[in-house]
Amino acid sequence: MCPTTWTIQAARDAITDDLHLLFPLLPDPDVRSATSFVLAAATGEIPRVSSTLHHRLAIEDDPVVRVSLIPAIAQLAREHHDEHAPAWTRKLWSDPGRSPEIRIGTGLAWLCLVDDPDPRRAPSPPDRPEY
């Protein structure tokens, strides 16, 4: 019978208190995807968490984890009012050299970062390759 907002905040604060236990999980391929979403719920040490997630994305070689990291980064950015995040997703999305999972992840992230996901304001897709 606890208020929902209180219990959610308590869980998020507990995550933040135990960041030292979560960061080491990122190298483990079986838990990287889930860990990224848990880290996105942190309420403190936001620059450190964001930097860690961005670093993991830069070196990640597993497509499933890459597609998971981007929305986790976006969720953290939205909740902590990072005004650069929409431009970051637009840059990733519009780069035709990016892998499909990066582009899928940025499409999902963009939806998280905008208040009104009007498709007319969606990032323009890069030119499609000819087959």
Side-chain angles (χ1 to χ4, degrees):
M1 302 305 276
C2 293
T4 305
T5 55
W6 179 87
T7 56
I8 291 170
Q9 187 63 39
R12 295 180 77 188
D13 288 344
I15 289 167
T16 301
D17 290 343
D18 289 332
L19 288 175
H20 67 282
L21 299 173
L22 296 170
F23 285 139
L25 297 176
L26 285 173
D28 185 332
D30 294 330
V31 296
R32 281 196 298 261
S33 182
T35 301
S36 65
F37 287 110
V38 171
L39 287 169
T43 58
E45 296 192 51
I46 302 311
R48 181 176 174 212
V49 174
S50 180
S51 175
T52 299
L53 292 173
H54 278 278
H55 174 72
R56 185 76 238 170
L57 179 62
I59 63 170
E60 184 57 57
D61 60 355
D62 185 287
V64 172
V65 178
R66 281 197 300 256
V67 79
S68 298
L69 283 163
I70 295 168
I73 291 167
Q75 177 183 331
L76 189 68
R78 178 179 173 90
E79 290 186 15
H80 297 282
H81 310 289
D82 180 350
E83 70 227 23
H84 304 292
W88 173 74
T89 59
R90 183 178 298 274
K91 181 180 174 186
L92 288 178
W93 169 259
S94 64
D95 181 351
R98 295 289 180 171
S99 63
E101 66 273 3
I102 293 291
R103 297 198 44 240
I104 289 168
T106 56
L108 294 171
W110 181 79
L111 291 172
C112 172
L113 292 169
V114 296
D115 292 324
D116 177 17
D118 184 332
R120 293 172 292 186
R121 289 193 296 270
S124 299
D127 294 333
R128 294 172 64 164
E130 292 185 29
Y131 295 101

